[in-house]
Amino acid sequence: MHTRRTTFRGFARDDGCWDIEGELIDTKPHAFGIEGEGRWEPEQAIHHMHVRLTLDEAMVIRDVAVAMDSFPHAPCPQAQAPMQRLIGESLGRGWRQTVMRHLAGVQGCTHLRELLFAMATAAFQSRSSSFAPPQDGSPPMHLGQCLAWDFDGPVVERVYPMFFRWQPAARKTPTA
């Protein structure tokens, strides 16, 4: 009854930054209409939206570009301008909360938020340096975040033996 396609692409730029692009297309296999808005033929895009984030090496957003090729309601394009609030923010831990802080509810667009949520993973996958252990000796941030990357599992033992069975340092409690 409905098809949603999302595609993400990551590109290294000559200036040392990265462009992460997300695209969302919604279609239906049958014709339908929304009173006062329009009619869509089978497989015609209801939503066709694009987001491009330009990131520096520290994963800080330096630019945001948005396009809405297809949308069902006249006010939809107004959701593009608030996306600029993300400039200066970092893709990393807390990314979903950052997106929601700037674009939750009527401040933004549900479909653009959905693209943004997954763009952090696309950015991470696009940068081979994301998989290298940080210089401070701590484990890469993807370890301990899923079953395959369990600190006690065989993948970590094989790929990152120095972090096999790793435990974070115990927090010191203040003494009175």
Side-chain angles (χ1 to χ4, degrees):
M1 296 302 296
H2 183 81
T3 300
R4 170 165 289 169
R5 294 185 310 266
T6 55
T7 305
F8 300 92
R9 297 175 192 89
F11 302 93
R13 296 166 37 130
D14 291 339
D15 62 1
C17 289
W18 298 83
D19 281 336
I20 308 302
E21 297 179 351
E23 178 181 29
L24 179 146
I25 302 171
D26 280 338
T27 61
K28 294 193 181 299
H30 57 276
F32 80 101
I34 299 174
E35 190 170 330
E37 299 289 352
R39 180 165 175 76
W40 288 263
E41 295 304 317
E43 305 306 330
Q44 181 180 0
I46 304 151
H47 297 102
H48 187 184
M49 301 177 177
H50 311 264
V51 175
R52 182 180 63 236
L53 302 178
T54 300
L55 311 171
D56 64 18
E57 190 59 34
M59 300 284 278
V60 174
I61 298 170
R62 296 298 173 201
D63 193 25
V64 177
V66 185
M68 291 184 169
D69 297 340
S70 299
F71 49 88
H73 308 290
C76 291
Q78 296 173 28
Q80 294 175 93
M83 298 278 287
Q84 299 302 307
R85 298 176 191 161
L86 296 173
I87 294 174
E89 295 289 354
S90 178
L91 261 72
R93 294 198 195 282
W95 173 240
R96 283 180 174 264
Q97 291 83 5
T98 298
V99 169
M100 294 305 286
R101 185 173 69 248
H102 291 293
L103 302 169
V106 298
Q107 299 179 83
C109 165
T110 300
H111 302 86
L112 295 176
R113 282 192 301 269
E114 288 182 19
L115 276 174
L116 287 167
F117 291 153
M119 289 180 83
T121 302
F124 183 82
Q125 292 288 337
S126 296
R127 302 172 65 245
S128 59
S129 63
S130 297
F131 294 91
Q135 296 295 325
D136 66 3
S138 63
M141 62 187 279
H142 65 286
L143 298 189
Q145 299 302 310
C146 78
L147 180 78
W149 291 115
D150 181 353
F151 286 106
D152 297 331
V155 177
V156 170
E157 182 178 26
R158 184 179 67 254
V159 179
Y160 296 99
M162 70 290 278
F163 297 114
F164 181 60
R165 300 195 193 282
W166 181 84
Q167 296 287 321
R171 293 186 180 187
K172 294 181 181 179
T173 55
T175 56

